[in-house]
Amino acid sequence: GYAWADVVSFEPASAAGRAVRVRGAAQAVRAVGRRVAILVLRQGAATVQCVVSGGDGGMARFAAGLSRESVVDVAGVVSLPREPVRGTTQQLVEIQVEKLHCISRAVPNLPISVDAAARSEEDVARAKAAGEQLVHVGQDKRLGYRVIDLRTAANQAIFRVQCQVENVFRQVLLSEGFVGIHTPKLIGGSSEGGAAVFKLDYNGQPACLAQSPQLHKQMAVCGGFERVFEVGPVFRAESSDTHRHLCEFVGLDVEMALRDHYSEVCDVVDRLFVAMFDHLNKNCAKELEAIQRQYPFKPYLETTLRLDYDEGIRMLQEAGVHVDPMGDLNTGREKAGRACSRQRFSIACLTWVELNHDRYGTEFYILGRYPSAVRPFYTMPCSDDPRYSCSFDVFVRGEEIISGAQRVHDPELLAAQAEARGIDVSTIAAYVNSFRYGAPPHGGFGVGLERVVMLFCGLGNIRKTSLFPRDPRRLAP
Ligand code: ATP
Ligand code: AMO
């Protein structure tokens, strides 16, 4: 009999001569003469060549007629090819097919081909220079047929890397005594105070989809949990299409009791992300290589740099870039970026990335002590100068991946800060009141999972790191 086998686990030495049964997608089929067909079978990111021959050529003709991406079962014997097979992940083994069944037929004219979706910009440019016509499939079309698009080697790798990011986040925090929680996503008011909130009707009461677990993760700390984390969906009614905003993303959130200073939160960020990048470089080398083949990027530099906002502004000014010392560095940067529409980053942002890279040899940095005016209502002002706040943002390659801060745990100050920002305090009364029954000083941070993967892998567009992205226009598939 033939034993079920996985393509990825074939070892040339032990697999040769084994009678196997394999189910996979017909990635490519071609006839070789009248009696032989070559079928490339794909399972996940692994591919193997199958040789269909023998008899009167009937099975080879059937194979050659299979539509690409049809799901097929082959049964046969593993053999060692005379030369390494080109274009498959299993180059040192092939299968001599004895039986072939089509399990599920794909339509003959696929809306996009996996080959075309897997092409790098360089491949297309090279072909064009050589006078060849290679179809380029745009991102929008690829996302429209995401089920096919996800089958490329780079996409298979991106979501394996994403899974590792989430896993390291949990493992490191669990090892530091944090407890995982789940907060409600249906809430009575906006948690970030911004306009970007999805409103809905909750059995007759006005309600919102949570813009972050902010209020309830703080309430969990008030509830006696010293250190909590959450992995869950975050909803933002973003109205403009950017390369880094989604309307639904996966939030990795942390909240913890503080002893002295919000730098205790930065310490957790530091340990967590250095461990994470280290883990990815060590354990996801194959995946990173597959991503790099389609989307080339520079290797990551593994140290963290910590600077205060003022120092960052000063560095930029010394480099001759004009920035408002009390304005939002992020927003200012974005506005400049928008003005020159083909350029993703402004001069300030590019200069900032280069300054840190050249002077400190890193593209990963924590910028602290932001001006209070550009931070959310729940942020603790600095005790020495309330124009500044106990807050920070974390950047990878010049773009934000994390926001964090110490929170106000005095209910009167909290209500006053909310009101000053035009928030109706009655919509967050339960939250404000939870600081009336004894509340420890605390702080935390929020990370966007898709942004971490996008920036770590240098992917340039957040849609690439969301399985089925929800952007301002896209609600399907
Ligand atoms: P983040 O979560 O990164 O802090 P945000 O939602 O708080 O982002 P800001 O960084 O304050 O937003 O930027 C303000 C607005 O500028 C965003 O809502 C977005 O619509 C727009 N924007 C952001 N990045 C870009 C960009 N690269 N190009 C054009 N517009 C952008
Ligand atoms: P903030 O609004 O900065 O902070 O969000 C935290 C992190 O979430 C990611 N992010 C997004 N990712 C994809 N699409 C979006 N539209 C989007 N918006 C934000 C970013 C960002 O750094 N409550 C605070 C966090 C805290 O202080 O604990 C908050 O939500 O990676």
Side-chain angles (χ1 to χ4, degrees):
Y2 302 96
W4 282 109
D6 290 330
V7 173
V8 72
S9 60
F10 285 155
E11 290 289 341
S14 56
R18 266 170 58 201
V20 294
R21 186 186 292 276
V22 179
R23 179 168 297 173
Q27 175 163 292
V29 283
R30 77 190 142 88
V32 181
R34 291 190 47 233
R35 291 181 170 213
V36 181
I38 301 291
L39 165 67
V40 175
L41 205 68
R42 189 191 65 243
Q43 260 182 358
T47 49
V48 67
Q49 171 165 290
C50 305
V51 182
V52 188
S53 61
D56 60 356
M59 192 162 62
R61 278 194 296 282
F62 175 76
L66 283 169
S67 49
R68 283 180 170 217
E69 297 302 313
S70 292
V71 176
V72 297
D73 278 1
V74 303
V77 176
V78 179
S79 67
L80 306 179
R82 250 174 287 154
E83 286 169 20
V85 181
R86 278 192 301 162
T88 55
T89 62
Q90 285 290 356
Q91 307 199 327
L92 302 180
V93 294
E94 58 186 13
I95 300 174
Q96 301 298 329
V97 179
E98 293 170 354
K99 288 181 183 171
L100 175 63
H101 293 286
C102 181
I103 303 294
S104 165
R105 204 171 276 281
V107 295
N109 294 309
L110 291 170
I112 62 171
S113 79
V114 177
D115 283 350
R119 247 166 235 154
S120 68
E121 281 180 17
E122 285 71 15
D123 287 345
V124 177
R126 225 175 289 127
K128 211 171 174 186
E132 231 181 292
Q133 285 287 326
L134 271 194
V135 186
H136 172 73
V137 191
Q139 176 163 274
D140 222 40
K141 188 160 186 193
R142 285 177 59 176
L143 291 178
Y145 299 102
R146 191 65 159 161
V147 168
I148 303 176
D149 181 46
L150 286 172
R151 299 174 191 173
T152 64
N155 275 337
Q156 291 286 313
I158 286 170
F159 293 97
R160 283 181 164 77
V161 168
Q162 190 182 82
C163 173
Q164 288 301 313
V165 170
E166 180 182 338
N167 193 33
V168 174
F169 179 80
R170 281 182 207 279
Q171 292 308 322
V172 170
L173 293 172
L174 285 171
S175 77
E176 296 205 10
F178 284 80
V179 57
I181 59 168
H182 293 285
T183 61
K185 303 306 154 203
L186 286 165
I187 59 179
S190 133
S191 52
E192 292 301 316
V197 62
F198 286 109
K199 297 202 170 116
L200 54 94
D201 176 83
Y202 187 76
N203 297 333
Q205 285 183 65
C208 300
L209 285 178
Q211 282 170 303
S212 69
Q214 185 61 38
L215 312 186
H216 293 86
K217 70 176 179 174
Q218 285 187 250
M219 289 157 82
V221 175
C222 291
F225 296 96
E226 285 264 306
R227 311 183 126 207
V228 298
F229 71 86
E230 175 164 2
V231 178
V234 173
F235 303 95
R236 305 264 170 112
E238 304 282 357
S239 55
S240 59
D241 263 308
T242 81
H243 73 279
R244 60 190 198 107
H245 288 94
L246 293 167
C247 291
E248 178 177 347
F249 64 94
V250 178
L252 308 177
D253 272 80
V254 162
E255 200 67 22
M256 58 192 265
L258 297 178
R259 299 296 173 243
D260 295 309
H261 196 263
Y262 79 95
S263 62
E264 291 156 42
V265 182
C266 298
D267 294 342
V268 173
V269 169
D270 204 335
R271 284 195 296 273
L272 177 59
F273 279 84
V274 168
M276 183 181 294
F277 297 148
D278 197 39
H279 175 93
L280 295 180
N281 285 328
K282 273 201 200 113
N283 301 295
C284 298
K286 256 210 296 216
E287 284 78 11
L288 294 174
E289 214 182 281
I291 298 170
Q292 227 167 332
R293 238 175 286 140
Q294 184 164 5
Y295 308 110
F297 68 103
K298 290 176 291 173
Y300 186 72
L301 299 156
E302 287 167 29
T303 46
T304 323
L305 169 69
R306 291 196 202 181
L307 288 175
D308 273 356
Y309 197 78
D310 278 354
E311 286 173 79
I313 296 279
R314 208 167 39 242
M315 279 167 71
L316 279 172
Q317 285 172 340
E318 277 166 17
V321 179
H322 189 75
V323 276
D324 173 5
M326 294 306 275
D328 190 345
L329 192 56
N330 309 8
T331 310
R333 177 190 94 207
E334 251 98 57
K335 286 205 177 110
R338 219 169 324 188
C340 34
S341 63
R342 293 191 65 79
Q343 211 176 314
R344 266 217 314 274
F345 305 112
S346 69
I347 308 295
C349 180
L350 281 176
T351 311
W352 180 235
V353 174
E354 278 163 17
L355 282 177
N356 287 296
H357 184 273
D358 296 350
R359 203 181 291 186
Y360 304 102
T362 187
E363 293 173 303
F364 176 48
Y365 43 88
I366 304 179
L367 196 60
R369 228 177 125 89
Y370 268 67
S372 295
V374 302
R375 303 301 289 201
F377 72 97
Y378 48 74
T379 311
M380 181 71 97
C382 289
S383 54
D384 61 331
D385 184 349
R387 289 177 306 153
Y388 291 92
S389 62
C390 300
S391 66
F392 63 91
D393 272 3
V394 184
F395 298 80
V396 168
R397 303 198 159 107
E399 292 195 73
E400 178 198 320
I401 56 163
I402 303 176
S403 280
Q406 179 171 352
R407 328 295 187 182
V408 172
H409 60 280
D410 170 66
E412 310 322 324
L413 179 60
L414 187 59
Q417 289 199 173
E419 242 159 50
R421 283 167 171 77
I423 296 166
D424 177 359
V425 179
S426 72
T427 61
I428 51 167
Y431 163 71
V432 175
N433 285 336
S434 56
F435 299 98
R436 298 188 191 282
Y437 319 123
H442 62 287
F445 62 91
V447 190
L449 175 63
E450 294 85 350
R451 268 201 208 173
V452 174
V453 180
M454 166 179 85
L455 292 164
F456 181 78
C457 298
L459 289 171
N461 193 309
I462 199 162
R463 291 159 185 79
K464 288 194 172 75
T465 58
S466 176
L467 198 66
F468 294 103
R470 293 289 175 257
D471 68 19
R473 287 173 301 121
R474 190 174 279 287
L475 194 56

